[in-house]
Amino acid sequence: MKRRTILKSGLAALVLAGVAPYTLSLLGKGGFAGNALAGEFSRPLPIPPLLENLDKSGETAHFSMTVQRGHVEFFPGRTTSSFGYNGNFLGPTIRVRNGQKFRMELNNNLSQTTTLHWHGLHVPAEWDGGPRQPVAPGARWKPEFTIRQEAATLWYHPHAMGLTGEQVYNGLAGLFYIEDDFSDTLDIPGTYGVDDIPLVLQDRRFYSNGQFAYARNMHDVVNGVTGNYFLVNGAMQPTLTVASGLVRLRLLNGSNSSIYTIHFTDQRSFTMIASDGGFLEEPVNLQSIVLSAGERAEVLLDLSDAEAGTKLSLLVDQMGGSRFEAMRIELEGSAGRSFELPGELRKRAPIEQSEATVVRSFTMETMGTGSGMGMGMMGRRLTINGKKMDINRIDEEIQLGSTEIWEISNQAGMMMSMPHSMHLHDVQFQLLSRNGVAPPPHERGRKDTVLIMPGETVRILSRFRDYTGIYMYHCHLLEHEDDGMMGQFEVVG
Ligand code: C2O
Ligand code: CU
Ligand code: CU
């Protein structure tokens, strides 16, 4: 550990000299000009298909999916090996209603273990699809439960111990929509793929032979694997064509470890209507929004004043990285109808702080401080409360029916710090404060994932209802999670 340079920038990036070089050179670095081989906005934005309900009556939600190997031609003449659900890359959008019975048959056609986790879903622990529910190669998994949750944009992805990052990187992710009577009544765009557009945002890097460059050296584990090419719904530089009027964009930061600031050309303002767990109480006007890995936002973009032929871009600034022109939006024709944006959205009684009977503290640490560097680097980096994930250990025991405050700190390290993205299974929580200050309006709705910057302390309020069993909490920077920045809570009756 002699030749080591650690730079701590404002964004807390870490640079380690002497990290083993990649076996193949990276595409877009050195020999290649950044996005020279990308699509140049010539291809239409792909819309993931809606997964077909096998119950033709629509009364229950009954689905089947196969997780399989695939390949994609991201660069002409070069094939990238990938994974997908029912296809080559990513998966179909699953749409269910609150109150519906849900059944899924997942077939694992990969040669490795996987799982299928419903991110953001309030679901019995045994069907959560976390590391405790592995699906072996060739095996089938058949979860069955009832949807007990308000309208929201959730998503699904694999969650097998130590394999999440790599499997998501290869293409395993999809959207999961819940609709309900309330969302039916809102006069907002809701036609899937027409004026209600799913946008899975991800970055990738590639080796010069076209394969995904997913490495797990120490630099990548600590910094997360971040890329220099951008994908929207699995396509590089696509164009979305919409009619003028109001368009609803459902944004998912589906990246492994990037934090995105999302905005549009000319800082055009938009209206945020929903966060991770559903509609906000009232719409919030923004010019940009920050989403950490795993977070979602639904926004309305008003294009009624724009003329046909107008082009604008969805821009994504990657924290500590580049600005991407992720997608172009082109107007064609005018929408047949106009919408009345309601002044208020979902009014729900807040979770009261006075309900809370327990306060728990969590410290997320990028690198241990107490010991020598060698120890810190090799043994204690990326911990929660000084511990790494152990599937045989229950970290927190929670009483069924209780409400708790979790105080989560990102301890800025002396040598290095990283932002973390804390995610809880089972619940949709409410943010109480950031560094003691009430959260901004767009973070006052229900959430399941929250960005915590170095030095920051976030307080959240959660109700643990309906289900007992073991669930995960973890950093949603997937390389951190896979390295053990995860714990288990058990809800006991
Ligand atoms: Cu999105 Cu525990 O995961
Ligand atoms: Cu989750
Ligand atoms: Cu983290």
Side-chain angles (χ1 to χ4, degrees), residues 41 230 237 312-316 323-328:
F41 306 101
F230 206 86
Q237 301 189 325
L312 65 148
S313 300
L314 175 79
L315 304 168
V316 178
R323 167 167 298 180
F324 295 99
E325 185 178 6
M327 180 179 85
R328 286 212 182 132

Side-chain angles (χ1 to χ4, degrees), residues 27 34 37-38 72-80 206-207 210 229 236:
L27 197 52
L37 288 174
V72 184
E73 203 177 307
F74 290 110
F75 306 99
R78 281 177 242 208
T79 306
T80 306
F206 297 87
Y207 291 124
Y229 288 86
M236 274 179 207

